[in-house]
Amino acid sequence: MTSEPARVPVDATTTHAWGSLTELSKNLRPDLRGWFAEDPARAGRLSHQAADLHVDLSKNLVTDDVLAALLALADEVGLAERRDAMFAGEHINVTEDRAVLHTALRRPSDEPLTVDGQDVTADVADELAKVYAFAEKVRSGEWTGVTGEPVRTIVNIGIGGSDLGPVMAYEALEPYVQDGLEVRFVSNIDPTDVAQKTADLDPTTTLFIVASKTFGTLETLTNARLARDWLWRSLVAAGAIEDSEEGRADAVAKHFVAVSTALDKVEAFGIDPANAFGFWDWVGGRYSVDSAIGTSLAVAIGPDAFADFLGGFHAMDEHFRTEPFERNVPALMGLLNVWYVNFRDAHTHAVLPYAQQLHRFPAYLQQLTMESNGKSVRWDGTPVTTETGEVFWGEPGTNGQHAFYQLIHQGTRLIPADFIAVANPAYPLTDAVGDPSTGSGEPAAEGADVHGLFLANFFAQTKALAFGKTADEVRAEGVAEDLVSAKVFSGNRPTTSILAPALTPAVLGQLVALYEHITFVQGVVWGIDSFDQWGVELGKKLALEIAPAVAGDEAALAAQDPSTAALIAKYRELRA
Ligand code: F6P
């Protein structure tokens, strides 16, 4: 039984806890060296287990008093009630009057959930069964193209949530991809994208998945038409189909499937609804990788691995739903982010995976976090009362170390950072020539485990950021006095360390769900609707209005503001 949802958001800045946090922040002198020296148990006390993830929060700039005040803030803004309302399917996406039920996508099929009179668990199970059956057909070679050849390349056409999740997960789970299958992703309306991704493809063995929640997105529909043209042209050129309406219809039937909530529009595009997989308006685009939007991934890694992926999400959902907030990792990480944004003036947040396979994870998180929490009004339409929505960014370690870590270590900005790694790599290589850890270049008796060296960097960076290097320590190395200040590291730069056993489908699901819930927690504190995205609409509309001006319509050009008109005119002059 969930309580009635509040009709207005609690203004976090008026709570007692907010006042305490303001006071605590004013008096806080961050001192991670001192805090660990006084309390060696700090690492253990502030480390938590969430499903397979070991999460160490101890290098964050918080005292027990700060943590207690953050937990009190969670209470005062009604975090538990909002969370329960989300899981129960209440319409917490207020501006679109929708339930927010991505958690139902990974709910066990024997746990019915009725929302708006509909058994959503049963709906999810039915659709998943369709996706799995299709995946098996493609993987087994039963699904064939116009010449009877099995599929070797899948091209997912989609953008935003219909691209970022699938491509991130495909890259992350590459070791699980069936031999002989490849997935490519086309998203940008820059024609280069579709041209490059199809350039070397054999049309007889290529299958396109057009993924679009609305099936109305300009980029995706344009790319889908370009892909369809390419398919027809190249099949005709190869003599695989007749250049006729029938030949073209056959090509679409065998080489195109779709994923959407708008199955009528799929049909209008020419794709048989029998070859379409649906989902529901209660799944936000950026929360949809575990819906049919993940069809390309399900084909690539197979239904069993995809089911493990969903199981990982569910394990994190259960942790978030049931664990007391003192040990609840998404709640704690979300509250820490609030602490940094609202009380320590952090403007950005770095996510630094020490796992090459997670190289698209920061990009994925950019949509998840910033499209969700980049808002200036609360869910009742009133202005926000504090800063919201920090910028998320990042690159895999160790590449980032040689690019932007300088600023994280010695810049003037506070940049909280999440370090993510797995203990067991997919490719456990040994450097047999020399042991790089000694720097000697001498042949090592057994060879050096390169993953160990990789993770030594993770531990070194989080240590350097936390504890820094004092002027005396620099001097003790014999550094000339005029260089000492340049070589000092202030330390007290906050990090969270996340370690998992291996990058399995389940662990990836846990990681994604962890960040979904962190995003939710921040949105609740700020009183915003983390599930709408009105801020992307204006640019889309203007692009459609401006397109005729770009194409040469003088009246449309004259209707533009002077700056935009001048730019368009320049473009037209430069365009050969
Ligand atoms: O432009 C933003 C957005 O609406 C995202 O929220 C969404 O993930 C993306 O566009 C793609 O939308 P669709 O899946 O409907 O094509």
Side-chain angles (χ1 to χ4, degrees):
M1 182 79 182
T2 54
S3 53
E4 258 303 281
R7 265 185 232 108
V8 288
V10 175
D11 178 353
T13 66
T14 65
T15 60
H16 182 260
W18 197 272
S20 307
L21 287 163
T22 308
E23 238 358 76
L24 285 165
S25 181
K26 211 177 341 156
N27 298 321
L28 186 79
R29 300 285 163 270
D31 180 17
L32 285 169
R33 279 189 185 219
W35 294 345
F36 276 99
E38 275 163 28
D39 175 16
R42 180 180 168 92
R45 236 168 8 89
L46 297 183
S47 293
H48 304 280
Q49 194 70 23
D52 293 318
L53 308 185
H54 172 84
V55 181
D56 178 358
L57 303 175
S58 66
K59 292 194 182 81
N60 281 285
L61 303 184
V62 284
T63 59
D64 288 351
D65 288 345
V66 171
L67 276 175
L70 286 170
L71 292 168
L73 178 65
D75 268 357
E76 287 189 75
V77 298
L79 177 61
E81 292 76 17
R82 288 300 280 178
R83 174 199 60 193
D84 294 346
M86 174 174 75
F87 276 90
E90 285 173 29
H91 285 208
I92 64 164
N93 178 355
V94 176
T95 72
E96 295 179 310
D97 191 17
R98 288 175 183 170
V100 173
L101 270 178
H102 43 277
T103 53
L105 296 168
R106 54 264 190 156
R107 196 178 163 92
S109 55
D110 57 358
E111 290 179 20
L113 175 70
T114 302
V115 172
D116 301 332
Q118 191 65 22
D119 180 354
V120 295
T121 318
D123 291 350
V124 168
D126 287 352
E127 211 54 44
L128 208 49
K130 275 175 68 183
V131 170
Y132 287 171
F134 168 71
E136 289 294 15
K137 268 192 183 172
V138 175
R139 289 164 67 82
S140 67
E142 191 188 331
W143 182 289
T144 54
V146 287
T147 59
E149 290 285 310
V151 174
R152 299 200 201 294
T153 311
I154 291 152
V155 181
N156 186 83
I157 301 176
I159 197 164
S162 301
D163 167 71
L164 287 162
V167 70
M168 176 279 291
Y170 175 75
E171 295 285 324
L173 300 177
E174 176 272 333
Y176 293 82
V177 173
Q178 175 167 297
D179 281 349
L181 271 182
E182 186 201 356
V183 185
R184 297 183 183 186
F185 296 85
V186 171
S187 54
N188 202 330
I189 197 171
D190 180 339
T192 312
D193 202 8
V194 80
Q196 288 183 335
K197 302 277 169 54
T198 52
D200 61 343
L201 285 185
D202 175 350
T204 64
T205 57
T206 299
L207 176 76
F208 292 95
I209 299 179
V210 186
S212 174
K213 179 176 170 182
T214 55
F215 226 78
T217 304
L218 178 72
E219 290 89 337
T220 300
L221 293 188
T222 306
N223 280 327
R225 283 191 295 272
L226 291 176
R228 193 175 56 183
D229 269 5
W230 170 85
L231 182 78
W232 285 337
R233 264 188 289 108
S234 26
L235 285 177
V236 169
I241 58 166
E242 292 288 317
D243 191 4
S244 65
E245 210 164 295
E246 253 172 40
R248 287 192 286 270
D250 189 35
V252 170
K254 296 196 170 122
H255 294 264
F256 268 84
V257 300
V259 182
S260 185
T261 57
L263 298 181
D264 49 332
K265 294 189 186 160
V266 169
E267 193 168 6
F269 182 84
I271 298 174
D272 185 344
N275 293 336
F277 308 100
F279 60 116
W280 307 270
D281 68 2
W282 41 259
V283 184
R286 54 197 176 273
Y287 297 86
S288 67
V289 61
D290 47 342
S291 72
I293 286 291
T295 296
S296 55
L297 179 69
V299 175
I301 66 173
D304 290 347
F306 196 83
D308 289 346
F309 180 52
L310 297 184
F313 279 91
H314 181 65
M316 187 57 69
D317 292 344
E318 285 301 279
H319 173 92
F320 181 50
R321 201 174 61 79
T322 62
E323 201 66 30
F325 287 152
E326 302 84 74
R327 296 192 299 275
N328 190 312
V329 173
L332 290 168
M333 288 181 73
L335 292 168
L336 283 171
N337 290 354
V338 168
W339 168 244
Y340 291 123
V341 170
N342 297 125
F343 300 94
R344 308 302 298 175
D345 197 30
H347 294 207
T348 81
H349 190 111
V351 179
L352 309 166
Y354 278 64
Q356 182 59 29
Q357 288 164 245
L358 286 175
H359 71 109
R360 293 297 287 160
F361 194 56
Y364 169 77
L365 289 184
Q366 289 191 319
Q367 187 199 16
L368 175 65
T369 58
M370 297 201 274
E371 201 170 77
S372 295
N373 285 340
K375 313 275 166 72
S376 306
V377 292
R378 299 187 293 164
W379 55 258
D380 65 344
T382 58
V384 294
T385 53
T386 187
E387 298 294 341
T388 65
E390 70 272 48
V391 173
F392 278 76
W393 59 284
E395 281 286 326
T398 57
N399 298 16
Q401 291 176 204
H402 297 273
F404 51 77
Y405 277 35
Q406 165 67 39
L407 185 146
I408 306 183
H409 280 288
Q410 288 189 317
T412 58
R413 294 262 177 217
L414 179 76
I415 302 176
D418 299 345
F419 281 66
I420 304 170
V422 298
N424 297 288
Y427 301 98
L429 299 183
T430 301
D431 181 359
V433 174
D435 181 351
S437 63
T438 66
S440 69
E442 290 298 309
E446 315 238 321
D449 170 25
V450 180
H451 190 67
L453 184 62
F454 181 31
L455 286 219
N457 277 274
F458 172 119
F459 302 128
Q461 292 297 326
T462 50
K463 179 173 177 155
L465 287 164
F467 305 119
K469 196 178 198 179
T470 64
D472 284 346
E473 287 168 343
V474 176
R475 282 190 196 100
E477 289 175 348
V479 171
E481 196 55 34
D482 58 341
L483 286 180
V484 168
S485 58
K487 297 194 173 194
V488 165
F489 289 71
S490 68
N492 294 317
R493 309 224 169 206
T495 60
T496 291
S497 297
I498 301 176
L499 285 177
L503 193 51
T504 59
V507 162
L508 184 66
Q510 292 166 22
L511 271 175
V512 174
L514 169 64
Y515 280 90
E516 287 176 350
H517 298 320
I518 291 170
T519 303
F520 174 78
V521 169
Q522 292 182 248
V524 170
V525 173
W526 291 327
I528 58 186
D529 183 341
S530 298
F531 304 99
D532 63 13
Q533 57 284 317
W534 299 107
V536 299
E537 294 307 322
L538 178 60
K540 285 188 197 173
K541 188 164 164 277
L542 289 180
L544 292 178
E545 280 170 27
I546 287 173
V550 175
D553 178 332
E554 296 304 330
L557 185 63
Q560 303 305 320
D561 66 88
S563 170
T564 308
L567 278 173
I568 296 169
K570 189 54 153 181
Y571 161 76
R572 279 166 46 177
E573 180 192 318
L574 292 173
R575 177 71 197 258

